[in-house]
Amino acid sequence: MTIFDSVLEMAARARGVLGRRGRESRLTDEMRFHLDMQTEAFARAGTDAGEARRRALVAFGGRERWRDAARDEYRGQVFDRLGQDVRYGFRSLRHARVFTAASVATLALGIGATTAIFSVVDAVLLRPLPYADPNGLVMLWEHHVSFGDAHNVVGPANFLDWRDEARSFSAMAAFFTTRVTIRGADGDAVSEQTRYANAELLPMLGVKPVVGRLYTKAEDQPAAARVAVLGYGLWQRRFGGRRDVVGTTVQINGNDVTIVGVLPEGFAFFGPAAIWMPVRFSDADRTVGGRFIRVVARLKPGVSWEQADLEMKAIARRRAFAMPQLDADWTALASPLRQDLVGTSRTPLLVLLGAVGCLLLIACANVASLMLARAGDRRREMAVRVALGAAPRRIAYQVLTESVMLAVAGAALGVAGAWAGTRLLRTMAPEQLGVAAVSGISLDARVLAFAVCVAMATGIAFGLAPALQSARRDPKDALSEAGRGGSEGRRAGRLRALLVVFEIAMAVVLLAGAGLMVRTLADLRRVPLGFDTQHLLTADVALHGHAYDSDTTAVSYFEDAERRLASLPGVRAVGAISWLPLSGNRSASSFTVVGEPAPPLGQEPVGDFRAVTPGYFGAMRIPIEDGRGIESTDRRGGSEVVVVSHTLARRFWPNGSAVGHELKYEWDAWHVARIVGVAGDVHHDGPRTEPYMEMYLPLEQFPYTRMTFVLRTVGNPLAVAAPMRAVLAQIDPAQAVADVAPMTDLARASVGDTRLETVLFAMFGIIGLVLAMIGIYGLGAFTVQQRRHEFGIRMALGAQRSAVLSMAIGRGLVLAAVGLVAGVLGALGLTHLMGALLFGVTPNDPVTFLWVAAVLAAIAALSAWVPARRATRLDPVAALRSD
């Protein structure tokens, strides 16, 4: 019987069990046929028709009895055998606990890891975005030609011109995100993330409000009444999900705002936003500088994003000629929305998918190897059963049942692992994936079914085929060869050897990737950020309301707050900055050095501008390398001063001091600031990014209404969080405090993506290594079992135990060496795909490869030594008698 025949018979049985109505009908017809034949026989013998029928019924017996007997027989042939096979399989697997545990765990790991990773890839890269006609949505960016920043945010002046001129789009909208302060009827001030967007944006995405309506174009005008649409979360959290919230008025940033609708649950676009409000551009925005908005547009039917990109570049050339003070050396760029949502996460996800694919292959190879080993161990059992009269078909059913039981157990655990892994990855997903992509991550049924089928097919094929082959052999030959191996055992041994080599090679590839990521994370952690992250508390305050319309009152608030916070117990120093390091926010602009030749228009150097208070450098422990820091005497109306970063100073004055030189920049008006000090470099965007050219200006001369306090504390920074809130509430209870967190949280988040990738690679590498260990150990144990007769003879003839150990371990070491070489060659060819993920280490880093080779060689030697050592302890007499 072939596997195909077995499957056909099982299918026929299943049809029989399921086709109860047809079977009953056929049984009735058959009994009626026999009665009719018997009746006809009595009638031909001269009996009248009625008597003939009665006598036929008497002779046939009770029809229900025959019917029940037939039913019992049918059910018994299926369920009794199945029950016997299940019970026997359970006992058999329970006795082989190590084999059962290893097989189930291997299947579960392969299925769970593959499904979890692919679910993330599917949600981020493959599944359509949750917006109306997502393929027609594109992002529009500005691109600085000289500096190569291809995805720069857009200036309102350019957006308004694009919206008027571009013909490739049916709709275009701008948006930006900031924090606002909401005051409800209870008087509490709460800071919420808010998205200001044109009225075209939400309809463009196909969003339908669950309550009320969206705001209109008429409400997206400067003179229109202020309106807002609530996000679903804020509606539930702050308004209790009341439908009559529509039409109510709340105070947002000190203004009365009418709520007109609520967005549906689960809707997300880029980062989270609790409130959506009209951006309300005016004609005055057509000439102002500054770039801070993002632009999304919908393509007209039949227009590709490449065609739209060409048109945008043509418009940008015209703008650069017409408005050189704003757009010289700038162009425009159109790109698909998915590409911008995924960003730099595409490569890591694909690399991880490849890694988990390797893991699934290792798992399948390991299951196949385990099945072959078990089939080899059971050849004697099969031969005995055949000798006692068991049919090969019956043995095949029993082995198939065991294989299916193993596969089902492994698949069940794999499904549980996939569910847990998917939830874990969803919580650990990198922030740049976007809320929409992360919210779409869920267990993918298609790949789960694929992984389960592959794993089950592997287990069934490699378990059933050898068992069938053994069952068909002559029992006498099988029994005589069972102890010594024979040709069948040698073929299985060669196949297992190939599988082990494959497992080791794949494990080397995974370990090399894990090693490179571990070194990357270690190197990132060694990068000095430029300040001390320990014992530092941060808190963001954005001033709103008419009381802070003047710069004087806003600066006074922060100075007063800094003075009071410095007097809190447990606080060593206090400062404030407009854009906190590692927050992801920055404000860059061009500048020139006074006295130096002016560069061509649009090619001026660009630096980050940050307003700071006098206590900032001390609180952050940023060293002042030259001159002085910002002081309380740097006041409005006096000489404008600036502290520059080390990178800026070295760029323009590599051999001298920058102190005393002057910088010229435009910020609402033209300014000239004298450099009074040079501060140490700070990695404002994390350790992967080189320090920018920074300019720190005194808050008094460079006023901001939004600042982040930094409090250097004696102990746990969160211990002063409540007193800090109380002090700020005493100054002005209408101002909300947001993002209260230790700086260490931001530091960890700055390498969070790399940490997640490292953890996943390390997990895959360790699993692959463990599976390879199981494979080597299993092969060693199999070899000892097959050659125990030979070892017994050699030891009986006086062979030393060291010689037997060498023979037993030799094959495992040779296979490990072959797999190691193949794996290293494969890793050298594949790790270059990880180039974008690495930092401070090359894809073919020799140190990493040497460590991987050494670790795997040691593990392989240990895995081969354990079963080989058993060979040296064989009793020669017992080994010879066993045959």
Side-chain angles (χ1 to χ4, degrees):
M1 173 183 284
T2 64
I3 297 176
F4 183 70
D5 294 334
S6 302
V7 172
L8 287 179
E9 180 154 338
M10 290 295 290
R13 288 184 173 208
R15 287 196 302 271
V17 172
L18 297 175
R20 180 174 179 274
R21 179 174 298 178
R23 188 173 65 251
E24 291 290 328
S25 176
R26 290 194 298 273
L27 186 59
T28 301
D29 292 342
E30 187 171 353
M31 286 192 296
R32 184 185 300 116
F33 171 77
H34 287 293
L35 280 173
D36 291 344
M37 294 294 293
Q38 189 64 46
T39 301
E40 185 178 345
F42 284 125
R44 283 199 301 270
T47 308
D48 62 72
E51 180 61 18
R53 188 65 176 178
R54 188 190 67 78
R55 294 176 66 178
L57 288 172
V58 171
F60 188 80
R63 281 177 291 178
E64 287 304 316
R65 180 175 62 85
W66 287 112
R67 194 186 300 276
D68 290 340
R71 288 170 180 165
D72 291 342
E73 178 68 17
Y74 191 86
R75 284 197 296 261
Q77 287 179 351
V78 176
F79 293 108
D80 287 353
R81 287 178 183 175
L82 182 60
Q84 290 172 4
D85 290 345
V86 170
R87 287 192 295 274
Y88 184 85
F90 181 76
R91 289 197 300 271
S92 177
L93 294 176
R94 189 180 59 183
H95 290 154
R97 293 178 181 174
V98 175
F99 161 79
T100 304
S103 299
V104 171
T106 301
L107 288 169
L109 288 171
I111 293 171
T114 304
T115 306
I117 292 296
F118 186 83
S119 297
V120 177
V121 174
D122 179 60
V124 177
L125 300 181
L126 306 178
R127 196 179 302 169
L129 294 172
Y131 310 123
D133 189 15
N135 293 331
L137 295 172
V138 295
M139 294 294 295
L140 304 179
W141 303 96
E142 293 201 54
H143 175 196
H144 197 286
V145 178
S146 296
F147 299 147
D149 188 359
H151 289 75
N152 201 86
V153 286
V154 180
N158 284 334
F159 161 69
L160 294 173
D161 186 71
W162 294 351
R163 192 169 63 177
D164 294 340
E165 298 294 328
R167 297 292 177 264
S168 298
F169 312 104
S170 59
M172 186 184 298
F175 64 95
F176 66 94
T177 305
T178 187
R179 281 193 170 276
V180 300
T181 300
I182 303 178
R183 297 198 70 183
D186 53 5
D188 288 344
V190 179
S191 178
E192 295 287 356
Q193 201 77 0
T194 300
R195 179 147 304 142
Y196 286 90
N198 288 124
E200 292 89 343
L201 179 56
L202 292 174
M204 189 192 309
L205 301 176
V207 181
K208 305 292 184 186
V210 292
V211 177
R213 61 177 176 82
L214 305 177
Y215 49 82
T216 64
K217 290 183 181 179
E219 293 166 333
D220 191 15
Q221 301 297 324
R226 299 177 189 274
V227 296
V229 174
L230 299 179
Y232 191 89
L234 180 63
W235 179 49
Q236 294 290 324
R237 187 173 67 250
R238 191 171 179 85
F239 299 94
R242 292 186 292 108
R243 300 183 70 85
D244 61 356
V245 70
V246 174
T248 60
T249 300
V250 296
Q251 272 209 337
I252 298 180
N253 289 350
N255 300 306
D256 289 338
V257 179
T258 302
I259 299 172
V260 298
V262 178
L263 295 179
E265 184 179 12
F267 168 73
F269 185 66
F270 283 89
I275 306 169
W276 287 68
M277 298 176 67
V279 70
R280 297 153 60 100
F281 285 132
S282 67
D283 288 339
D285 292 308
R286 292 182 178 275
T287 56
V288 299
R291 294 173 167 85
F292 59 92
I293 60 174
R294 297 183 181 186
V295 179
V296 61
R298 178 169 293 286
L299 296 168
K300 286 182 178 177
V303 179
S304 66
W305 71 266
E306 291 91 346
Q307 293 171 319
D309 184 56
L310 291 175
E311 185 190 20
M312 292 305 300
K313 285 180 167 51
I315 294 175
R317 285 194 294 271
R318 180 185 58 75
R319 287 281 298 176
F321 181 77
M323 301 283 288
Q325 71 278 15
L326 292 179
D327 296 319
D329 212 29
W330 286 86
T331 184
L333 172 72
S335 58
L337 176 62
R338 176 184 289 277
Q339 181 178 311
D340 289 293
L341 282 176
V342 174
T344 57
S345 299
R346 181 183 181 84
T347 299
L349 285 174
L350 293 178
V351 171
L352 285 173
L353 185 61
V356 81
C358 290
L359 190 63
L360 181 61
L361 291 176
I362 294 177
C364 290
N366 209 46
V367 170
S369 182
L370 289 170
M371 289 294 182
L372 287 173
R374 180 165 170 76
D377 288 342
R378 300 181 71 182
R379 285 207 308 274
R380 179 185 292 273
E381 174 195 342
M382 299 299 170
V384 171
R385 292 181 64 182
V386 172
L388 293 176
R393 175 184 300 183
R394 190 72 187 86
I395 293 176
Y397 288 148
Q398 192 268 314
V399 174
L400 180 62
T401 302
E402 285 185 20
S403 299
V404 171
M405 290 171 65
L406 275 177
V408 168
L413 283 180
V415 170
W419 178 79
T422 303
R423 290 175 62 88
L424 179 64
L425 290 173
R426 184 171 175 170
T427 60
M428 299 173 66
E431 187 176 337
Q432 67 264 28
L433 288 182
V435 177
V438 173
S439 62
I441 297 175
S442 59
L443 195 63
D444 189 278
R446 297 165 301 167
V447 73
L448 177 62
F450 172 77
V452 169
C453 289
V454 169
M456 290 182 70
T458 302
I460 291 173
F462 283 88
L464 185 59
L468 280 176
Q469 195 170 6
S470 297
R472 287 189 187 131
R473 298 194 64 197
D474 187 325
K476 182 180 178 182
D477 295 340
L479 286 170
S480 64
E481 290 183 357
R484 295 188 293 270
S487 58
E488 183 182 336
R490 288 192 292 272
R491 284 196 297 272
R494 287 194 291 270
L495 180 55
R496 290 196 66 201
L498 288 175
L499 292 172
V500 167
V501 169
F502 176 76
E503 286 183 58
I504 295 173
M506 290 292 101
V508 170
V509 174
L510 291 178
L511 284 175
L516 292 172
M517 290 307 303
V518 168
R519 292 204 60 190
T520 292
L521 184 60
D523 288 345
L524 284 174
R525 285 178 169 171
R526 280 195 288 267
V527 174
L529 294 174
F531 59 95
D532 185 0
T533 61
Q534 301 299 315
H535 306 297
L536 201 60
L537 183 70
T538 67
D540 186 79
V541 175
L543 300 177
H544 299 295
H546 301 299
Y548 302 102
D549 285 345
S550 76
D551 294 337
T552 301
T553 54
V555 172
S556 296
Y557 171 91
F558 290 114
E559 288 180 342
D560 186 23
E562 188 172 311
R563 188 166 48 252
R564 296 195 194 191
L565 292 175
S567 64
L568 284 175
V571 175
R572 287 181 171 174
V574 180
I577 186 171
S578 55
W579 305 114
L580 185 70
L582 308 182
S583 66
N585 298 316
R586 55 188 294 228
S587 180
S589 185
S590 60
F591 65 94
T592 58
V593 178
V594 176
E596 297 290 331
L601 193 61
Q603 298 184 22
E604 300 90 347
V606 174
D608 279 13
F609 288 71
R610 300 177 194 265
V612 298
T613 61
Y616 175 73
F617 292 112
M620 293 288 286
R621 293 181 178 169
I622 298 174
I624 299 298
E625 299 176 348
D626 192 9
R628 64 172 177 87
I630 300 298
E631 296 180 348
S632 57
T633 55
D634 299 321
R635 311 296 296 181
R636 181 189 297 268
S639 174
E640 295 189 30
V641 299
V642 60
V643 173
V644 300
S645 65
H646 175 90
T647 295
L648 189 150
R650 293 285 73 79
R651 161 98 180 259
F652 294 99
W653 300 279
N655 300 316
S657 173
V659 176
H661 292 277
E662 293 179 324
L663 302 179
K664 184 178 181 181
Y665 64 94
E666 184 181 16
W667 198 277
D668 297 331
W670 284 102
H671 299 265
V672 175
R674 178 173 54 87
I675 299 174
V676 296
V678 177
D681 277 335
V682 172
H683 290 267
H684 279 271
D685 280 349
R688 278 186 181 270
T689 307
E690 292 295 322
Y692 302 124
M693 291 193 294
E694 302 285 348
M695 280 162 283
Y696 301 98
L697 300 112
L699 176 64
E700 177 73 22
Q701 298 176 353
F702 196 69
Y704 259 77
T705 56
R706 174 178 176 173
M707 297 288 283
T708 301
F709 289 106
V710 289
L711 285 73
R712 175 70 59 186
T713 63
V714 176
N716 181 6
L718 289 177
V720 300
M724 178 197 66
R725 289 181 182 274
V727 167
L728 296 177
Q730 288 175 0
I731 299 174
D732 187 348
Q735 305 306 318
V737 182
D739 297 335
V740 178
M743 179 59 85
T744 49
D745 287 0
L746 292 177
R748 277 194 294 271
S750 67
V751 295
D753 302 348
T754 302
R755 183 186 296 109
L756 174 61
E757 293 154 7
T758 302
V759 169
L760 291 175
F761 263 106
M763 185 176 68
F764 297 159
I766 291 172
I767 294 174
L769 181 62
V770 170
L771 294 180
M773 284 176 56
I774 295 173
I776 297 172
Y777 174 84
L779 182 65
F782 179 75
T783 302
V784 171
Q785 178 70 17
Q786 293 296 308
R787 299 179 65 184
R788 67 181 185 278
H789 182 80
E790 173 193 346
F791 291 152
I793 293 176
R794 287 179 181 274
M795 295 177 71
L797 294 177
Q800 297 295 318
R801 295 185 182 277
S802 58
V804 174
L805 177 66
S806 177
M807 286 187 291
I809 201 173
R811 191 183 185 205
L813 293 181
V814 169
L815 293 177
V818 174
L820 196 59
V821 171
V824 168
L825 293 176
L828 289 172
L830 293 174
T831 49
H832 71 278
L833 300 174
M834 301 175 58
L837 282 65
L838 304 180
F839 177 84
V841 61
T842 61
N844 295 334
D845 177 55
V847 175
T848 301
F849 277 73
L850 284 175
W851 269 106
V852 169
V855 169
L856 198 62
I859 295 295
L862 179 64
S863 303
W865 176 78
V866 172
R869 194 163 176 267
R870 287 166 45 195
T872 64
R873 296 179 177 178
L874 284 175
D875 181 352
V877 177
L880 294 172
R881 281 179 177 173
S882 65
D883 293 331

